[in-house]
């Protein structure tokens, strides 16, 4: 901490001397701005194309902004697939998994970090080892197991595995719980507080930052998941947004206006959330890697 | 740990019934641990260890999902090794990894170096780089389906206008895998950029200042100070991104549906097709196992090699 603040202080020193802006800085900013704009360009292209009539999409050279704005693509998209339903399905699955898996993995992490029980270390190693297992290896048996449980084509097939098992979540939260000083908990335990009370009233509130990070990570993964829903869901009414767009693409593949409208509908919610909460999301991404 | 030693210390201080006290405490602890662990333990067994054992069983069986499975010995594996399409898919997967992993890591590292010097504007530029990271791979692939379509692609139009022959990205066998790599780099760049920026930020300025006082050039500082100090980040990203790129699937499925030509197929695409189109659960599980072994091997090699180049600050 102290070295960090010292470094910050040191890096700010020259600024007080007010140096003139160097041409190198201008080139740097121009280059970065150009590259960042190029990275964002496919999204802008998607959005503007969704408002272009089809003949304008095929025009050469292409137009950037639509010359004749149309919302026909969105009308076709909403008529061709139930995106409202898909939005609800995606949200329902992603939110449930995020809430439940944060709770279960933090509970398990607490046991690994704070309770001394036989087999703790080997069991934790098992959790770590499963992080290496590719999803494709377990998806076939899971498909069969879901069939036995009667969960095929229900949200449960996606919610249950992700809610009840997250080796990464357990690992990440264990690292953070281990970093919390023991003294407070020991005092509380001497006062007769149960482990459950210590966990809910002392540990959980101190984990707000890593929980937010893990929550963002989990939500993004679930909301954008394609592989799991593709295998487990069959009927349109249960489809999540990625599945709906993929299906829509199969039916309206040549109608680029409508396809880009559908894609915009799916990409927009997260892009808007990201634009508003950039700091938290970026910190979340950085944090989830920093302890690994 | 320290809780345990404290208990032992107090047990030593009171000589009367020390063993019972400890064991009762231990039993209570074991029960508490079980309660806290139980949801994830159920998940571990039902959704991970169970399926893993089941997959191993399937890899050595013939089964189409109906009727009884029969023992197959190694025939699923020999079938895979003799199938030229699988060989082609394996080559495609490796080719994709060779293009994508260094591509994304080098660009992300360079941009992270430049972004460090951008001051307050970092937040603005970062929006453009990280936006693809939060977007679903299906939406990403659909956008690139447009950008790769030679009839309407603005990229091709731009290339033609400066006199470069525009490729037919997803139709030309030589360009299919590089096209996938372009999309994967575009989508993966922001994540690694964030990681590298976090890594660079943690390097103390004193190291670079010391190097500067010693008369190091910018290149020497980069190569002998910055790179060694963020080598743990480089190792972490190379391990995770190789694992990820060996599992590439979503883009291909959105681009090609279930009729991808041999030049576009990857290992995971084959696994899905074999399992859920042909209902050849045995061969699909065998291939998934081979993929797992390869990933273990590649990661193991990286972990073994890290001693030679990864520098951990104390």
């Amino acid at each position: 901490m102290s070295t960090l603040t010292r470094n910050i202080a040191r890096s700010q020193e020259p600024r007080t001397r007010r140096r003139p802006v160097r041409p190198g800085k201008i080139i740097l900013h121009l280059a970065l701005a150009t590259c960042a704009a190029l990275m964002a360009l496919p999204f802008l292209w998607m959005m503007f194309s969704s408002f272009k009539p089809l003949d304008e999409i095929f025009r050469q050279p292409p137009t950037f902004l639509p010359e004749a704005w149309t919302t026909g693509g969105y009308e076709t998209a909403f008529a061709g697939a139930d995106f409202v339903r898909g939005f609800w399905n995606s949200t329902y699955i992603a939110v449930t998994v995020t809430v439940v898996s944060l709770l279960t993995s933090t509970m398990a992490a607490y046991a690994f970090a704070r309770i001394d029980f036989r087999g703790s270390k080997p069991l934790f190693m098992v959790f770590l080892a499963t992080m290496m297992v590719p999803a494709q290896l377990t998806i076939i048996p899971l498909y069969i197991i879901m069939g036995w449980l009667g969960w095929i084509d229900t949200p449960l097939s996606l919610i249950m595995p992700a809610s009840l098992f997250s080796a990464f979540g357990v690992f990440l939260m264990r690292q953070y719980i281990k970093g919390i000083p023991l003294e407070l908990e020991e005092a509380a335990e001497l006062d007769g507080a149960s482990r459950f009370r210590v966990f809910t009233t002392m540990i959980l509130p101190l984990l707000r930052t890593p929980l937010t990070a893990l929550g963002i990570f989990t939500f993004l993964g679930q909301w954008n998941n394609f592989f799991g829903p593709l295998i487990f869901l069959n009927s349109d009414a249960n489809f999540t947004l990625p599945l709906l767009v993929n299906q829509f693409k199969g039916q309206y593949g040549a109608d680029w206006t409508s396809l880009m409208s559908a894609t915009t509908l799916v990409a927009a919610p997260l892009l808007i959330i990201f634009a508003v909460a950039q700091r938290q999301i970026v910190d979340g991404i950085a944090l989830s890697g920093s302890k690994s | 740990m320290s809780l345990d030693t404290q208990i032992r210390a107090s047990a030593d201080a009171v000589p009367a019934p020390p063993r019972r006290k400890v064991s009762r405490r231990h039993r209570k602890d074991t029960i508490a641990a079980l309660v806290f662990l139980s949801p994830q333990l159920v998940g571990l067994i039902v959704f991970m260890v169970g399926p893993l054992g089941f997959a191993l069983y399937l890899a050595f069986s013939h089964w189409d999902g109906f009727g009884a499975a029969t023992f197959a010995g190694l025939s699923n594996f020999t079938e895979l090794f003799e199938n030229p399409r699988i060989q082609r898919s394996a080559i495609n997967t490796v080719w994709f990894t060779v293009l994508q992993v260094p591509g994304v890591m080098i660009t992300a590292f360079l941009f992270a170096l430049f972004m460090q010097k951008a001051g307050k504007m970092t937040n603005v530029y970062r929006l453009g780089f990280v936006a693809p990271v939060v977007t679903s791979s299906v939406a990403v692939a659909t956008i690139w389906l447009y950008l790769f379509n030679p009839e309407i692609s603005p990229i091709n139009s731009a290339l033609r206008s400066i006199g470069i022959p525009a490729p037919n990205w997803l139709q030309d066998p030589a360009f299919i895998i590089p096209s996938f790599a372009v999309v994967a780099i575009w989508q993966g760049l922001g994540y690694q950029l964030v990681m590298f920026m976090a890594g660079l930020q943690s390097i103390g300025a004193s190291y670079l200042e010391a190097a500067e006082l010693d008369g190091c050039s910018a290149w020497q500082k980069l190569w002998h100070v910055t790179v060694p100090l963020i080598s743990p980040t480089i190792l972490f990203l190379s391990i995770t991104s190789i694992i990820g790129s060996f599992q590439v699937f979503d883009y291909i499925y959105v681009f090609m549906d279930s009729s991808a030509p041999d030049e576009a197929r990857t290992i995971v695409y084959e696994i899905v097709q074999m399992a859920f189109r042909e209902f050849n659960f045995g061969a699909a599980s065998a291939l998934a196992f081979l993929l797992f072994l390869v990933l273990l091997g590649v990661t193991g090699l990286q972990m073994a090699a890290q001693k030679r180049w990864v520098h951990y600050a104390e």
Side-chain angles (χ1 to χ4, degrees):
Chain A
M1 242 343 183
S2 63
T3 55
L4 187 72
T5 46
R6 223 180 300 142
N7 288 336
I8 289 169
R10 194 178 300 168
S11 69
Q12 276 169 345
E13 265 166 33
R15 211 171 283 169
T16 52
R17 265 184 267 144
R18 203 166 287 204
R19 273 189 290 183
V21 183
R22 284 176 302 157
K25 270 268 148 91
I26 298 172
I27 294 170
L28 175 85
H29 280 277
L30 270 179
L32 281 175
T34 311
C35 291
L38 277 176
M39 288 293 288
L41 198 54
F43 289 118
L44 298 177
W45 204 269
M46 161 193 82
M47 213 173 62
F48 290 137
S49 298
S50 74
F51 292 109
K52 286 178 196 167
L54 201 55
D55 60 313
E56 196 183 327
I57 284 185
F58 280 93
R59 194 179 306 165
Q60 289 293 340
T63 54
F64 179 59
L65 286 170
E67 277 172 11
W69 291 74
T70 171
T71 52
Y74 288 90
E75 284 157 32
T76 314
F78 276 112
D82 197 344
F83 284 104
V84 179
R85 180 79 191 236
F87 184 87
W88 162 247
N89 289 338
S90 285
T91 309
Y92 168 64
I93 292 172
V95 169
T96 313
V97 168
T98 305
V99 171
V100 181
S101 85
L102 280 189
L103 183 70
T104 61
S105 44
T106 312
M107 281 166 59
Y110 173 75
F112 282 126
R114 286 295 199 251
I115 305 176
D116 184 34
F117 63 98
R118 194 182 296 189
S120 165
K121 273 205 183 115
L123 186 60
F124 185 64
M125 290 311 287
V126 171
F127 268 82
L128 281 188
T130 64
M131 281 206 267
M132 284 299 302
V133 177
Q136 298 81 27
L137 183 51
T138 48
I139 195 89
I140 300 166
L142 273 179
Y143 179 77
I144 297 162
I145 292 170
M146 293 302 167
W148 292 340
L149 292 167
W151 289 352
I152 293 288
D153 203 24
T154 72
L156 281 179
S157 61
L158 298 161
I159 290 174
M160 294 305 275
S163 296
L164 292 185
F165 187 67
S166 165
F168 175 68
V170 173
F171 169 72
L172 187 75
M173 297 319 290
R174 174 184 168 273
Q175 301 294 93
Y176 278 97
I177 295 174
K178 280 206 153 230
I180 300 174
L182 262 174
E183 287 79 18
L184 276 173
E185 289 162 64
E186 282 172 349
E189 267 172 54
L190 283 179
D191 285 347
S194 69
R195 288 216 181 261
F196 182 74
R197 262 197 70 146
V198 170
F199 177 71
T200 50
T201 60
M202 305 183 74
I203 299 285
L204 278 184
L206 286 172
L207 293 173
R208 192 175 302 155
T209 313
L211 279 174
T212 312
L214 183 61
I216 288 168
F217 222 67
T218 311
F219 182 86
L220 281 179
Q222 289 301 316
W223 174 276
N224 291 334
N225 187 7
F226 179 57
F227 191 64
L230 180 72
I231 304 296
F232 293 133
L233 304 179
N234 312 317
S235 47
D236 299 6
N238 294 324
F239 275 12
T240 56
L241 283 176
L243 280 186
L244 271 187
V245 172
N246 187 51
Q247 190 193 37
F248 190 83
K249 181 215 71 193
Q251 290 161 350
Y252 295 84
D255 180 357
W256 290 101
T257 310
S258 305
L259 185 55
M260 287 302 111
S261 306
T263 312
T264 307
L265 285 175
V266 172
L270 280 194
L271 287 176
I272 292 168
I273 294 175
F274 173 60
V276 175
Q278 192 206 169
R279 265 254 323 276
Q280 285 82 346
I281 291 177
V282 167
D283 288 352
I285 293 172
L287 204 68
S288 57
S290 63
K291 289 277 171 177
S292 301
Chain B
M1 248 336 190
S2 73
L3 191 71
D4 187 52
T5 48
Q6 205 178 49
I7 292 164
R8 237 178 271 142
S10 63
D12 286 343
V14 185
R19 283 253 166 79
R20 267 214 2 254
K21 199 173 170 191
V22 170
S23 76
R24 196 186 302 152
R25 176 79 209 209
H26 254 284
R27 196 188 303 150
K28 232 179 119 191
D29 275 352
T30 308
I31 292 169
L34 264 179
V35 170
F36 278 99
L37 278 168
S38 54
Q40 288 278 324
L41 270 184
V42 169
L44 175 74
I45 292 161
V46 178
F47 299 123
M48 181 51 79
V49 177
L52 259 184
F54 199 170
L56 191 62
Y57 167 76
L58 284 174
F60 294 95
S61 310
H62 288 304
W63 198 40
D64 60 359
F66 299 99
T70 55
F71 181 67
L74 286 171
S75 68
N76 285 328
F77 292 94
T78 50
E79 186 191 313
L80 291 174
F81 282 116
E82 283 160 8
N83 187 340
R85 210 184 63 199
I86 304 288
Q87 291 167 14
R88 182 67 210 253
S89 299
I91 293 170
N92 289 341
T93 309
V94 173
W95 179 221
F96 173 79
T97 303
V98 166
L99 291 173
Q100 192 252 344
V101 172
V104 77
M105 287 189 70
I106 292 169
T107 26
F109 179 62
L110 290 179
F111 275 118
L113 283 178
F114 293 131
M115 290 276 267
Q116 260 209 314
K117 301 195 167 81
K120 275 187 192 151
M121 288 299 283
T122 308
N123 291 337
V124 180
Y125 302 145
R126 209 170 43 186
L127 272 174
F129 287 98
V130 185
V133 178
V134 302
T135 308
S136 99
S137 52
V138 176
V140 164
T142 316
I143 296 171
W144 283 90
L145 205 55
Y146 187 129
L147 302 179
F148 281 152
N149 185 315
E151 282 181 65
I152 54 177
S153 166
I155 301 173
N156 286 20
S157 164
L159 287 175
R160 271 196 303 269
S161 72
I162 51 171
I164 297 173
N168 190 343
W169 304 93
L170 297 175
Q171 302 297 320
D172 184 341
F175 274 94
I176 293 179
I177 296 293
S179 302
F180 294 163
V182 167
V183 183
I185 290 171
W186 180 71
Q187 196 179 14
L189 184 57
Y191 171 76
Q192 299 214 351
L193 177 75
V194 168
M195 290 301 187
F196 274 127
M197 284 176 72
L200 287 173
Q201 216 158 34
S202 64
I203 297 179
S206 49
Y207 289 107
L208 290 165
E209 278 164 13
E212 208 160 327
L213 286 177
D214 285 347
C216 287
S217 68
W219 173 252
Q220 282 172 323
K221 272 195 292 180
L222 175 69
W223 195 244
H224 295 292
V225 182
T226 308
V227 169
L229 284 177
I230 62 156
S231 53
T233 308
I234 299 176
L235 176 73
F236 170 73
L237 289 177
S238 74
I239 287 176
T240 50
S241 64
I242 288 178
I243 290 175
S245 74
F246 263 89
Q247 298 180 46
V248 60
F249 169 78
D250 294 6
Y251 305 141
I252 305 166
Y253 197 82
V254 176
F255 286 151
M256 315 263 176
D257 283 310
S258 46
S259 57
D262 288 359
E263 298 83 28
R265 301 167 79 101
T266 60
I267 289 298
V268 169
Y269 187 87
E270 293 289 357
I271 295 172
V272 172
Q273 294 300 309
M274 272 196 276
F276 300 105
R277 294 265 149 193
E278 301 160 20
F279 293 100
N280 188 351
F281 287 151
S285 299
L287 187 53
F289 245 105
L290 289 178
L291 173 69
F292 180 37
L293 290 180
V294 169
L295 290 180
L296 276 183
V298 171
T299 307
L301 278 179
Q302 285 173 284
M303 296 301 281
Q306 67 161 332
K307 288 187 208 98
R308 301 172 141 254
W309 65 277
V310 177
H311 170 98
Y312 288 102
E314 311 70 67

